[in-house]
Structure formats: C-alpha cells, structure tokens
Amino acid sequence: PANAALGRVMSIGAIMGVMLKEKDEKVLININGHGPLGTVMAEARSNGDVRGFVGDNTVYLKYNDTNKLAVGLAVGTDGYLEVTKYLNLKNNFTSKVALKSGEIGDDFAYYFAVSEQVPSLVSVGVLVDVDYSTKSAGALIIQLMPGHTESDIAFIENLKLEPISKMVAKGPSLEVSLKELFPDFELLEKRAVRYHCDCSKERFMEGIMSIPKDDLLELLNDEVIEVKCEYCNKKYEITKKEMLEFINEHLEHR
Ligand code: ZN
C-alpha cells in the first residue's frame, strides 16, 4: 500500500496546495505513524505542483477480512500528521494532530476540525491495478463554511459517496458525478495539478551552503559531493570546485 498511502496524501496535498491564496505559497505534509512505511511526505504548491515520497515503498500489507490494502497498518497510528504552510509574508505555520487511523482520510478530517476549526468531510482513494501500479488517485474535501445550517450537516452526513478513486477514473464525467451528488453544483474554477519535482543542482548547493560550517568543511573533504533528491530520486554530483565557486559567488552577493 505504499502507493496507496502516498497517493492519498498527495491527492489531499494537491487540494490543500491550490487552496492557498497566493502564488509561490506551499504546504508541506509530514506523516509518521511509526508503521513499516516510515515517513510519508508530500509538498504541494499553490500552482498545482505536488511531489512526495514514502520511507519504504516496498511495504505490502492487506487486511485479511476485506482483502483491501492496509494503509492504516502500513502508516501506523503511533505518531502525528503535521502540516506546515509556507505563506507569502515569509510566515510558516505548523500544526500537528495525533494520527487517528493512519488511513489518511480520517486523519485529515481530524486535522481540519482541530487545527483549522473547519468541520470537513474527506474522501480519498487510490485505485491500485493488478500489477500494483496506480490507476487513479483522487480526493474530495467538503468543508462547512461559517453560517452552515443543521440541514447542511444532515445533507453531508447522508451523502452516498462512491469511492473517489472510481469517480476520478471516470475522467471527464467527474463533473456529472458531482452534479448528481449536489443538485445545486456549480463549477467555479478548474485547476490543473501535476506531479512535479523542482529540485536542481543549484537548490542542493544552496542547501549545502546553509549547513553548519563544521559539517560543510567535512563535506568538502571529498572531491565530489553526491546528493540524491528524496522526492524524485534524481542524483546530483557536485564537485568540490563547483561548490567552492558557488559559495564564493553567493558570499559576495550578500
Ligand atoms: Zn527531485
């Protein structure tokens, strides 16, 4: 269920990313329930870019009774769901809640209710193919706005939702499904989301430059510094010469 867990977190992350108000804002989601999967991390930007990774992508667990992928067991429940929002005015907001089931959807519903004080219904799912590849992934977040009524709550509680991954797999007819669910459905905006990692050699060099001086000197003992992007697994080789030049250039510009 590694891709099921990652797909769920990234689907919700993508929505939370585009919910940010300004461009260049981002949200970082960090989940660790001390299950075999390890850390599940996703980073989403307001422009719809999302990237993520799991600690161990080889974990495979199923619930015996239902034969469903055991995301909750893989993620674990002894830990936290942590959300950090990087907002434009250089403010970071971090809040975390204890994991409820590790099934991700419930955990985010709890997060929205407790940390953002917005009662929310979160439906999230990943359709995993017979060859374990990911067929579709999607999330639906329904939030109660201030001024909602008892009948709004009742309406949402009585919604008969089919698995969101199945709705997404239908493609363009997703809007039809939404119209069936919500009679007064009105499409306000459509935004594209994509998996995209924006790592670069330069980014890594900036990162290396900001580590404590002693650690930096130790790194520079080697002729080549090898780094790997934990999101997309891309490898970069930075020579000592390149690194020193980069440091010189950037110190001058300060
Ligand atoms: Zn990358």
Side-chain angles (χ1 to χ4, degrees):
N3 51 346
L6 184 60
R8 289 183 191 184
V9 177
M10 283 185 16
S11 297
I12 295 174
I15 295 177
M16 290 175 72
V18 296
M19 275 160 77
L20 296 166
K21 293 194 173 56
E22 309 286 334
K23 68 179 176 77
D24 299 330
E25 293 186 333
K26 67 174 182 180
V27 56
L28 185 69
I29 297 161
N30 189 344
I31 295 175
N32 194 325
H34 290 98
L37 212 53
T39 299
V40 187
M41 198 117 115
E43 186 190 89
R45 295 176 176 270
S46 46
N47 67 2
D49 287 354
V50 57
R51 59 179 185 166
F53 71 89
V54 290
D56 182 353
N57 63 13
T58 61
V59 174
Y60 184 78
L61 289 167
K62 269 188 169 183
Y63 290 118
N64 288 332
D65 48 350
T66 58
N67 212 30
K68 279 192 171 171
L69 292 170
V71 173
L73 287 181
V75 171
T77 52
D78 175 25
Y80 293 90
L81 158 63
E82 187 181 271
V83 175
T84 305
K85 291 185 179 176
Y86 296 84
L87 304 180
N88 242 351
L89 302 161
K90 306 238 180 284
N91 287 328
N92 300 351
F93 294 100
T94 300
S95 55
K96 62 180 185 178
V97 293
L99 287 170
K100 288 279 131 187
S101 67
E103 293 282 338
I104 310 301
D106 307 340
D107 301 300
F108 273 96
Y110 183 67
Y111 161 81
F112 285 122
V114 172
S115 290
E116 302 197 359
Q117 277 95 44
V118 186
S120 309
L121 181 149
V122 179
S123 170
V124 63
V126 174
L127 205 57
V128 177
D129 216 338
V130 282
D131 64 355
Y132 307 125
S133 65
T134 306
K135 230 175 174 177
S136 70
L140 177 69
I141 303 176
I142 302 174
Q143 300 197 310
L144 286 165
M145 294 295 129
H148 63 265
T149 61
E150 287 297 320
S151 69
D152 292 333
I153 298 173
F155 176 79
I156 287 169
E157 280 173 350
N158 293 320
L159 271 180
K160 287 190 177 53
L161 289 177
E162 65 173 326
I164 184 72
S165 53
K166 273 193 190 146
M167 282 169 69
V168 171
K170 287 180 189 167
S173 64
L174 177 63
E175 280 168 55
V176 177
S177 308
L178 288 170
K179 264 185 199 132
E180 282 164 10
L181 281 170
F182 309 100
D184 57 351
F185 170 80
E186 196 185 326
L187 182 69
L188 297 176
E189 199 187 355
K190 233 176 177 173
R191 297 268 294 269
V193 293
R194 61 167 181 170
Y195 183 92
H196 178 72
C197 188
D198 61 351
C199 66
S200 68
K201 198 166 180 174
E202 182 130 301
R203 282 259 164 98
F204 276 105
M205 291 200 279
E206 276 169 22
I208 291 170
M209 216 175 89
S210 64
I211 64 174
K213 201 176 151 202
D214 289 349
D215 297 334
L216 180 62
L217 288 175
E218 202 185 306
L219 265 182
L220 289 171
N221 280 337
D222 300 323
E223 281 306 311
V224 180
I225 305 166
E226 281 178 13
V227 286
K228 192 177 101 174
C229 175
E230 54 190 352
Y231 284 98
C232 69
N233 292 326
K234 196 168 170 184
K235 285 182 186 142
Y236 295 92
E237 287 188 351
I238 303 163
T239 64
K240 187 178 185 170
K241 190 166 164 269
E242 281 174 320
M243 196 61 227
L244 287 172
E245 278 172 9
F246 186 86
I247 292 171
N248 277 333
E249 248 171 63
H250 288 78
L251 286 179
E252 276 168 27
H253 290 114
R254 272 187 189 170

